[in-house]
Amino acid sequence: MKIISHKREMQQMAKQLLSSGKTIGFVPTMGYLHEGHLTLAREAKRNNDIVVMSIFVNPLQFGPGEDYEAYPRDQKRDELLAEAAGVDLLFIPSVADMYDAEMSTKMTVVKRNNALCGNDRPGHFDGVVTVLAKLFHIVMPDKAYFGLKDAQQFAIVSGMVADYDFPVQLVPLETVRDSSGLAISSRNVYLSDREKEQAPSIYKSLLLAKNKIENGATNIGEIKSVVTDYLKCHTDATVDYVDILCYPELAPLEKVQGRVIIALAVKFSKARLIDNIILDV
Ligand code: PAF
């Protein structure tokens, strides 16, 4: 595995690979790798000649008071894990290299962001699409891999790729969970022992909603209350939101029908965790 620290070197390498007929699979990450990222890398390895993974904690997608400085980082460990998962090129640029001059244009998300995490994190998805537009130009992937834990991110990035005709195929993969059902996330390290015991209730609350829907429930308010009450009863976390929307448009629904996402965010003392289930009803 080769480590590349400069965007121009990465772009040069991508051009050479593409002109020699190789396909590039890309896994963008913010590092502190876990099984979710490694699953994406292994899938990329199965379907492309070369796997590029980026590690870049993108300051643009963190708001004031969010955990940009404290975001967990461990490059040595990430290098070992990425190599074992089959990554060929690990791209780790600095902030100065990625954003080397004051930008004269701005990317603003205008759809699919006024819901779920977009409500609580103004500007977050503008930062995500900005960095991904840059990364797609630098890495020039044929396919890019995303986990559906961040289903809103996937919906918004799909919109950007369609709007601007990025020549990349986005590949969504199911959320990776531990044996308790907890969605794997870099932020799980912030959980206290007591919170770790409670956190599996997040997925259980979603399964409860899924079960209700599979048994014919269609009233959105009622299903949301069931999820919220379960979370309040089984965790000390504050419920940021529970919502049921159509997917990927993320628009409100009159009742549960079609392709829907049941999504939630909860705040434990130091970790804000999100999870969701997408259902075809
Ligand atoms: O999902 C993430 O880790 C980030 O939002 C991404 C896609 C790497 C962009 O910074």
Side-chain angles (χ1 to χ4, degrees):
M1 183 181 76
K2 184 175 162 58
I3 297 176
I4 300 181
S5 328
H6 296 287
K7 62 183 177 187
R8 292 297 163 242
E9 190 193 344
M10 180 66 243
Q11 202 173 41
Q12 212 44 49
M13 179 72 90
K15 277 186 192 161
Q16 274 169 22
L17 288 166
L18 294 175
S19 65
S20 64
K22 304 272 190 224
T23 56
I24 299 177
F26 178 40
V27 183
T29 82
M30 298 206 298
Y32 211 70
L33 301 179
H34 52 61
E35 197 46 38
H37 301 117
L38 303 175
T39 303
L40 300 178
R42 288 186 211 108
E43 183 64 15
K45 190 76 182 174
R46 268 193 287 279
N47 294 295
N48 302 273
D49 298 321
I50 299 290
V51 178
V52 179
M53 176 183 276
S54 62
I55 295 183
F56 181 63
V57 185
N58 172 33
L60 255 56
Q61 67 189 75
F62 289 80
E66 289 189 353
D67 58 347
Y68 173 66
E69 298 296 342
Y71 195 83
R73 293 160 168 92
D74 189 342
Q75 188 175 323
K76 281 287 151 234
R77 178 177 161 277
D78 284 351
E79 286 173 15
L80 294 172
L81 290 172
E83 182 154 31
V87 172
D88 300 290
L89 299 172
L90 189 59
F91 176 45
I92 314 184
S94 66
V95 173
D97 186 46
M98 281 298 278
Y99 299 115
D100 55 357
E102 205 176 304
M103 293 173 85
S104 54
T105 58
K106 252 185 182 221
M107 294 187 72
T108 309
V109 179
V110 293
K111 268 194 179 167
R112 304 180 178 180
N113 61 327
N114 293 323
L116 310 181
C117 290
N119 283 333
D120 296 335
R121 304 186 72 189
H124 167 70
F125 288 113
D126 296 347
V128 171
V129 292
T130 304
V131 79
L132 285 174
K134 286 170 73 71
L135 287 168
F136 288 165
H137 286 129
I138 295 164
V139 175
M140 300 190 216
D142 295 278
K143 294 190 170 82
Y145 293 79
F146 290 85
L148 278 176
K149 183 171 80 64
D150 297 306
Q152 184 171 22
Q153 170 170 277
F154 186 77
I156 288 172
V157 176
S158 304
M160 175 192 81
V161 164
D163 289 344
Y164 294 100
D165 304 296
F166 278 86
V168 60
Q169 182 194 337
L170 300 182
V171 184
L173 293 191
E174 283 305 317
T175 302
V176 177
R177 302 181 181 280
D178 70 14
S179 56
S180 74
L182 175 64
I184 292 181
S185 157
S186 303
R187 290 190 169 99
N188 291 351
V189 291
Y190 297 145
L191 296 172
S192 68
D193 288 346
R194 182 179 161 84
E195 289 170 344
K196 271 186 202 138
E197 279 173 22
Q198 298 177 347
S201 297
I202 296 173
Y203 186 50
K204 286 190 188 140
S205 74
L206 291 171
L207 290 178
L208 200 60
K210 178 174 184 252
N211 190 269
K212 290 229 158 282
I213 291 169
E214 283 170 353
N215 283 305
T218 59
N219 185 306
I220 292 191
E222 270 171 29
I223 302 164
K224 277 163 59 170
S225 298
V226 167
V227 175
T228 309
D229 292 348
Y230 188 89
L231 288 167
K232 285 190 177 154
C233 198
H234 291 84
T235 74
D236 300 329
T238 313
V239 180
D240 260 4
Y241 65 76
V242 173
D243 217 342
I244 303 176
L245 302 168
C246 62
Y247 192 83
E249 299 80 6
L250 300 178
L253 288 162
E254 302 252 306
K255 61 177 187 160
V256 177
Q257 63 176 12
R259 172 161 275 213
V260 299
I261 182 167
I262 314 166
L264 60 82
V266 296
K267 242 187 226 132
F268 283 100
S269 54
K270 290 202 191 119
R272 182 179 183 279
L273 302 185
I274 58 172
D275 203 350
N276 70 77
I277 292 186
I278 296 170
L279 293 176
D280 284 301
V281 182

